[in-house]
Amino acid sequence: MEYNPGWNSSSVNLLHVRAVGPEDSLHYVWSSIGAPSVLLVATRSPSSALRVNWTQLLSPSPAGAVWIDPPDSVVYSSAVVFTKLFEFSEAKPLGELFYPTYDLSEFSWDSLNHTLNHTALTAELRGVPATDPGGAFANGSLAFRVTAYEAGGRARPLPSLLHTADSSQLEFILAGVLPRGNGSRFLLQLAAVEPAGAARRLRARSSIDDEYTPSVFQELSLVAEAPNSSCPLSFLQWKAAAYGSPSPRREDGIQCRAGGLQVANGSLPGASLLQAFFGDSLGSTCTVSVLNVSFGGEEGHVYQERRYLSWSVLLGFGEPPRDTFSPLVISIAAVALGTPLAVLLLGSCLVLLAQRRRYSEYEPIN
């Protein structure tokens, strides 16, 4: 992990996470220059490196300011940008009432270097609106917490997402922000960028196994797919739940819903990092898909009471990790289902044996 490589100032944030394999390397580039975004690049070279022209990146025309060296080692690149935060409430009988939108490209962000932990491989990007006339962020903030991994495993706090060494976790946190209405709900908008030929698709999978995420039976994935290929290129994966506590428990759950995936036309305003890497192709040949993720519902107003919201999502390359039943659950199920079956078989055998041994003291009539 390296912070602002080749730049000594902390007035802007760019975090480069590099994972090196025997014959390839993966690059994650997180930035708050413009809207918060992450660039994902896979290369076929273990020695590929990130290059940044800082003067050009911070200029009004950043195209070409970020690249991977050598350029011909890049086999796949993608990006995700978090564009806006909406707040709305159910205003009966008028329906949904939306308040003025928070544009994340107009936020003021703290230095990420203060939260960078090279041992735990974590960092936190925290910000507030540059102008906040209503004072909603006077005692609060919006943050993106990044976690990289060196091996496969499972995150400890809920929703305990399963991860691999090829993935990173992002946690969206809204803490202490004053709602602008009674029963306010929030909606986070994100956009995924794919090169020509690839497209995003939203998957939903239901399972009866909620061992690691109690009472949450749905998992969603936003996967990038290439034509004529059954293997995804990259993914975003999350459970259908957010939480209203820094130490989440089952009762802290907040309903999480994903809207329909929409294809956006044109470029993404405020996405400086994406413009710097993709250049002119961002608005011409790249495919931009927009997804809205909302938090809250009719089950209660958890954020209204606790002023805290966290949502975790996994980003990575290839096929999303898939939860399977653990040996403990398999053992419990085997005992629960096997014991009645064994008793039934044993009882049937005893009945048959008793019938064969039945006799009478009377002699049969010839």
Side-chain angles (χ1 to χ4, degrees):
M1 302 178 72
E2 53 181 346
Y3 174 70
N4 287 355
W7 187 254
N8 294 325
S9 173
S10 60
S11 58
V12 294
N13 291 306
L14 190 146
L15 176 67
H16 177 217
V17 182
R18 181 168 171 257
V20 182
E23 298 179 353
D24 55 9
S25 58
L26 306 175
H27 299 264
Y28 292 85
V29 185
W30 305 85
S31 174
S32 64
I33 302 173
S37 53
V38 56
L39 178 67
L40 298 86
V41 183
T43 73
R44 62 168 62 95
S45 170
S47 59
S48 60
L50 176 71
R51 306 299 183 195
V52 181
N53 183 330
W54 283 97
T55 303
Q56 187 177 355
L57 177 60
L58 300 178
S59 71
S61 302
V66 175
W67 70 98
I68 297 294
D69 191 27
D72 59 359
S73 67
V74 176
V75 294
Y76 172 71
S77 57
S78 177
V80 178
V81 55
F82 298 89
T83 55
K84 297 176 181 179
L85 179 70
F86 297 92
E87 182 182 351
F88 63 97
S89 62
E90 300 287 345
K92 296 179 180 179
L94 301 177
E96 294 178 347
L97 172 64
F98 278 82
Y99 298 95
T101 304
Y102 294 116
D103 190 336
L104 301 188
S105 65
E106 299 177 355
F107 269 48
S108 175
W109 302 95
D110 295 342
S111 174
L112 186 146
N113 195 35
H114 299 323
T115 61
L116 185 58
N117 187 325
H118 289 274
T119 302
L121 300 179
T122 60
E124 185 172 310
L125 185 65
R126 187 182 299 111
V128 297
T131 58
D132 185 22
F137 280 79
N139 298 310
S141 65
L142 181 152
F144 294 95
R145 182 179 298 156
V146 178
T147 304
Y149 299 107
E150 292 182 315
R154 189 180 297 276
R156 287 188 177 181
L158 291 175
S160 304
L161 294 176
L162 180 67
H163 63 259
T164 67
D166 295 343
S167 59
S168 296
Q169 180 172 291
L170 179 70
E171 186 179 0
F172 166 70
I173 302 171
L174 197 65
V177 178
L178 185 66
R180 290 174 286 184
N182 294 327
S184 283
R185 296 165 59 185
F186 292 93
L187 185 150
L188 179 65
Q189 184 182 84
L190 60 91
V193 178
E194 294 298 323
R200 291 274 176 171
R201 186 165 68 91
L202 185 63
R203 294 179 183 174
R205 189 176 72 90
S206 298
S207 172
I208 62 171
D209 183 16
D210 67 339
E211 176 184 4
Y212 299 104
T213 313
S215 73
V216 179
F217 301 97
Q218 189 179 45
E219 185 177 70
L220 296 102
S221 300
L222 184 61
V223 298
E225 296 177 339
N228 304 322
S229 176
S230 59
C231 180
L233 301 171
S234 65
F235 65 87
L236 280 77
Q237 184 184 60
W238 66 95
K239 295 279 190 173
Y243 293 92
S245 171
S247 302
R249 299 168 298 175
R250 175 182 174 181
E251 54 267 30
D252 300 320
I254 299 175
Q255 191 173 32
C256 172
R257 292 174 177 160
L261 188 64
Q262 298 179 347
V263 177
N265 296 321
S267 60
L268 290 169
S272 300
L273 177 65
L274 278 60
Q275 295 168 358
F277 183 82
F278 291 102
D280 297 333
S281 64
L282 180 61
S284 57
T285 60
C286 289
T287 301
V288 180
S289 304
V290 177
L291 180 71
N292 294 329
V293 182
S294 63
F295 311 100
E298 298 78 7
E299 75 282 355
H301 308 298
V302 179
Y303 184 82
Q304 194 79 17
E305 301 170 357
R306 305 185 184 181
R307 301 285 198 273
Y308 192 90
L309 168 68
S310 70
W311 173 63
S312 299
V313 57
L314 193 72
L315 301 92
F317 296 87
E319 188 75 33
R322 185 160 183 166
D323 266 323
T324 57
F325 289 102
S326 68
L328 176 62
V329 171
I330 294 175
S331 302
I332 293 174
V335 171
L337 298 175
T339 301
L341 182 61
V343 170
L344 179 62
L345 291 175
L346 181 60
S348 300
C349 293
L350 292 175
V351 170
L352 291 175
L353 185 61
Q355 287 180 345
R356 294 186 62 181
R357 290 185 174 182
R358 183 176 298 170
Y359 66 92
S360 173
E361 61 185 15
Y362 294 98
E363 293 293 332
I365 298 175
N366 189 350

